[in-house]
Amino acid sequence: MTEKIRIKDIAERAGVSVGTVDRVLHDRPNVSAPAREKVEKALEEMNYQPNMYASALAYNKSYTFYLFIPGHKEETYWEEIEEGAAKAVEYRRDFHIDMKIIYYERFNDASFRAKSEECLSQHPDGVVVVPAELEITRDFTTALHENNIPFIMLDSYMPELKPLSFYGQDSFSSGYFAAKVLMMKAFDQQEIMLMKQIKNGHVTSTQQANREVGFRNYMKKFFPQVKIIEVNLPLDCSKEEHSTILEDYFTHHPHTHHCITFNSKAYLVGEFLLQTHRNDIQIMGYDMVARNAESLRKGNISFLIAQHAYMQGYSCIDALFRVIVLKKKIQPVNYMPIELIMKENIDFYRRTQL
């Protein structure tokens, strides 16, 4: 067992006072350059490893981290993000960590600006940012930099904005992977349905758009003859309105036997197929939200790609904790694993590695 190094031992080795060593260790002022050099040399020679946890606890400071994400309904990827982030706060409760959530409206620049100003006015210690379009997000992140507020980027990676770190899937690779898996089953098909949830004419995240790029890249390269037919389900429509859209599609496309969506609501199609007794259609979607998992167990969904949303939320808050509280360095890019979940292995899937 490594012998504990005391401040007194360091002081004796450096030939300075205990108070000087304490000031150097805590990066306080009023230490001459020669004295600091002696202490740092002694620390290196003794291979001193500070107990960051003990120091942070002794400092007894409180911290508030903000989760800046789109507003959403239940049973979505974002709900899992929130749960993971809350777990990280609970796990670090001894360090006086708190978290607040600010929601902005997707594809509403005025909402993003207003909510980002609200976030800045609260003087957060750190922020987890789900970006909007690049330029409007840049205004927010520039202000964060100017105020020395560290931020982690989630969902979409924009390295030009210089986040402290990023957590999420490699969206292009994920979409490419999804196409490859799907076409192992649908290699002889003439058409595939692509279900999108849209708001104001846009899919509801940059991540989903990037997955589609990867998907189409694979399809163009290996299955250019397959027709990809888009079905748009407006985000704010009712279940009945969605059913009408889906009924119209499947009535007019009886040869569609495979569907894919890049969002967390594959169950919208799965539950419709169950209700209308269409058993010859397979669905591939994303995220282990409860209704997706239920549809997978019932056979309405054939495949789900897990992106560990819960772990993304947990990891973002934990990363802020390690940087801000423990003063540690973290990895700048953290891609989540791309995992394929089926009925046969769903009960062995773990959304958390804790």
Side-chain angles (χ1 to χ4, degrees), residues 73 195-198 231-249 265 267-269 272:
K73 296 182 179 179
M195 186 274 275
K196 297 183 180 181
Q197 272 221 297
I198 61 170
V231 174
N232 295 326
L233 300 183
L235 189 64
D236 299 325
C237 280
S238 66
K239 181 179 179 179
E240 291 72 23
E241 289 171 308
H242 286 162
S243 294
T244 298
I245 294 170
L246 292 171
E247 181 64 46
D248 180 72
Y249 174 82
K265 293 194 175 182
Y267 65 83
L268 291 177
V269 182
F272 168 81

Coordinates of all heavy atoms in Angstrom, one line a residue, residues 73 195-198 231-249 265 267-269 272:
K73 N -42.1 15.9 -25.3 CA -43.2 15.1 -24.7 C -42.6 13.9 -24.1 O -41.4 13.7 -24.1 CB -44.2 14.7 -25.7 CG -45.0 15.9 -26.3 CD -46.0 15.5 -27.3 CE -46.8 16.7 -27.9 NZ -47.8 16.3 -28.8
M195 N -40.1 6.8 -42.0 CA -41.0 7.6 -41.2 C -40.2 8.7 -40.5 O -39.2 8.5 -39.9 CB -41.7 6.8 -40.1 CG -42.8 7.5 -39.4 SD -42.2 8.5 -37.9 CE -42.2 7.2 -36.7
K196 N -40.7 9.9 -40.7 CA -40.1 11.1 -40.0 C -41.1 11.8 -39.2 O -42.3 11.9 -39.5 CB -39.6 12.1 -41.1 CG -38.5 11.6 -42.0 CD -38.0 12.7 -42.9 CE -36.9 12.3 -43.8 NZ -36.4 13.4 -44.7
Q197 N -40.7 12.3 -38.0 CA -41.5 13.2 -37.3 C -41.0 14.6 -37.5 O -39.8 14.9 -37.4 CB -41.4 12.9 -35.8 CG -42.4 11.9 -35.3 CD -43.0 12.2 -34.0 OE1 -42.4 12.3 -33.0 NE2 -44.3 12.4 -34.0
I198 N -41.9 15.5 -38.0 CA -41.5 16.8 -38.4 C -42.1 17.9 -37.6 O -43.2 17.7 -37.0 CB -41.7 17.0 -39.9 CG1 -43.2 16.9 -40.2 CG2 -40.9 16.0 -40.7 CD1 -43.6 17.3 -41.6
V231 N -42.6 9.2 -45.2 CA -43.9 9.5 -44.6 C -43.7 10.4 -43.4 O -43.0 10.1 -42.4 CB -44.6 8.2 -44.1 CG1 -45.9 8.5 -43.3 CG2 -44.9 7.3 -45.3
N232 N -44.3 11.6 -43.5 CA -44.1 12.6 -42.4 C -45.2 12.6 -41.4 O -46.4 12.8 -41.8 CB -43.9 14.0 -43.0 CG -42.7 14.1 -43.9 OD1 -41.7 13.5 -43.6 ND2 -42.8 14.9 -45.0
L233 N -44.9 12.4 -40.2 CA -45.9 12.5 -39.1 C -45.6 13.8 -38.3 O -44.6 13.9 -37.6 CB -45.8 11.3 -38.1 CG -46.0 9.9 -38.8 CD1 -46.0 8.9 -37.7 CD2 -47.3 9.9 -39.5
P234 N -46.5 14.8 -38.5 CA -46.3 16.1 -37.8 C -46.2 15.9 -36.2 O -47.0 15.1 -35.7 CB -47.5 16.9 -38.2 CG -47.9 16.4 -39.5 CD -47.6 14.9 -39.4
L235 N -45.3 16.5 -35.6 CA -45.1 16.3 -34.2 C -46.3 16.7 -33.3 O -46.5 16.0 -32.3 CB -43.9 17.2 -33.7 CG -43.3 17.0 -32.3 CD1 -42.7 15.6 -32.2 CD2 -42.2 18.0 -32.0
D236 N -47.0 17.7 -33.7 CA -48.1 18.1 -32.9 C -49.5 17.5 -33.2 O -50.5 17.9 -32.7 CB -48.2 19.7 -33.0 CG -47.0 20.3 -32.5 OD1 -46.4 19.8 -31.6 OD2 -46.6 21.4 -33.1
C237 N -49.5 16.5 -34.1 CA -50.7 15.9 -34.5 C -51.2 14.8 -33.5 O -50.3 14.3 -32.7 CB -50.6 15.2 -35.9 SG -50.8 16.3 -37.2
S238 N -52.4 14.5 -33.4 CA -53.0 13.5 -32.5 C -52.7 12.1 -33.0 O -52.3 11.9 -34.2 CB -54.5 13.7 -32.4 OG -55.1 13.4 -33.6
K239 N -52.9 11.1 -32.2 CA -52.7 9.7 -32.5 C -53.7 9.4 -33.7 O -53.3 8.6 -34.6 CB -53.0 8.8 -31.3 CG -52.8 7.4 -31.6 CD -53.1 6.5 -30.3 CE -52.9 5.0 -30.6 NZ -53.2 4.2 -29.4
E240 N -54.9 9.9 -33.6 CA -55.8 9.6 -34.7 C -55.4 10.2 -36.0 O -55.5 9.5 -37.1 CB -57.2 10.2 -34.4 CG -57.9 9.5 -33.2 CD -57.3 9.8 -31.8 OE1 -56.6 10.9 -31.7 OE2 -57.5 9.0 -30.9
E241 N -54.8 11.3 -36.0 CA -54.3 11.9 -37.3 C -53.1 11.1 -37.8 O -53.0 10.9 -39.0 CB -53.9 13.4 -37.0 CG -55.1 14.3 -36.8 CD -54.7 15.7 -36.3 OE1 -53.9 15.8 -35.3 OE2 -55.2 16.7 -37.0
H242 N -52.2 10.7 -36.9 CA -51.1 9.9 -37.3 C -51.6 8.6 -38.0 O -51.1 8.1 -39.0 CB -50.2 9.5 -36.1 CG -49.4 10.7 -35.7 ND1 -48.8 10.7 -34.5 CD2 -49.0 11.8 -36.3 CE1 -48.1 11.9 -34.3 NE2 -48.3 12.5 -35.4
S243 N -52.7 8.0 -37.3 CA -53.2 6.7 -37.9 C -53.8 6.9 -39.3 O -53.7 6.0 -40.1 CB -54.3 6.2 -36.9 OG -53.7 5.8 -35.7
T244 N -54.4 8.1 -39.5 CA -55.0 8.4 -40.8 C -53.9 8.4 -41.9 O -54.0 7.9 -43.0 CB -55.8 9.7 -40.8 OG1 -56.8 9.6 -39.8 CG2 -56.3 10.0 -42.2
I245 N -52.8 9.1 -41.5 CA -51.6 9.2 -42.4 C -51.1 7.8 -42.7 O -50.8 7.5 -43.9 CB -50.6 10.1 -41.9 CG1 -51.1 11.5 -41.7 CG2 -49.3 10.1 -42.7 CD1 -50.2 12.5 -41.0
L246 N -50.9 7.0 -41.7 CA -50.3 5.7 -41.9 C -51.2 4.7 -42.7 O -50.8 4.0 -43.5 CB -49.9 5.1 -40.5 CG -48.8 5.8 -39.8 CD1 -48.7 5.2 -38.3 CD2 -47.5 5.6 -40.5
E247 N -52.5 4.8 -42.4 CA -53.5 4.0 -43.1 C -53.5 4.3 -44.6 O -53.5 3.4 -45.4 CB -54.9 4.2 -42.5 CG -56.0 3.4 -43.2 CD -55.8 1.9 -43.0 OE1 -55.5 1.5 -41.8 OE2 -55.9 1.1 -44.0
D248 N -53.4 5.6 -44.9 CA -53.4 6.0 -46.3 C -52.1 5.5 -47.0 O -52.2 5.0 -48.1 CB -53.4 7.6 -46.4 CG -53.4 8.0 -47.8 OD1 -54.4 7.9 -48.5 OD2 -52.3 8.6 -48.2
Y249 N -51.0 5.5 -46.2 CA -49.7 5.1 -46.9 C -49.8 3.6 -47.1 O -49.6 3.1 -48.3 CB -48.5 5.4 -45.9 CG -47.3 4.7 -46.5 CD1 -46.6 5.4 -47.5 CD2 -46.9 3.5 -46.1 CE1 -45.4 4.8 -48.1 CE2 -45.8 2.9 -46.7 CZ -45.0 3.5 -47.7 OH -43.9 2.9 -48.2
K265 N -39.5 7.3 -31.8 CA -40.9 7.0 -31.8 C -41.3 5.9 -32.8 O -42.4 6.1 -33.5 CB -41.8 8.2 -31.9 CG -41.6 9.2 -30.7 CD -42.6 10.3 -30.7 CE -42.5 11.1 -29.4 NZ -43.6 12.1 -29.3
Y267 N -42.5 3.3 -32.1 CA -43.7 2.7 -31.6 C -45.0 3.3 -32.2 O -46.1 2.6 -32.2 CB -43.8 2.8 -30.1 CG -43.9 4.2 -29.5 CD1 -45.1 4.9 -29.5 CD2 -42.8 4.9 -29.1 CE1 -45.2 6.2 -29.0 CE2 -42.9 6.2 -28.6 CZ -44.1 6.8 -28.6 OH -44.2 8.1 -28.1
L268 N -44.9 4.5 -32.8 CA -46.1 5.1 -33.4 C -46.5 4.2 -34.6 O -47.7 4.0 -34.8 CB -45.8 6.5 -33.9 CG -45.6 7.6 -32.9 CD1 -45.2 8.9 -33.5 CD2 -46.8 7.7 -32.0
V269 N -45.6 3.7 -35.3 CA -45.9 2.8 -36.4 C -46.2 1.4 -35.9 O -47.1 0.7 -36.4 CB -44.7 2.7 -37.4 CG1 -45.1 1.8 -38.6 CG2 -44.4 4.1 -38.0
F272 N -49.7 1.1 -34.5 CA -50.7 1.2 -35.6 C -50.8 -0.2 -36.3 O -51.9 -0.7 -36.6 CB -50.3 2.3 -36.6 CG -51.0 2.2 -37.9 CD1 -52.3 2.7 -38.0 CD2 -50.5 1.6 -39.0 CE1 -53.0 2.7 -39.1 CE2 -51.2 1.5 -40.2 CZ -52.5 2.0 -40.2

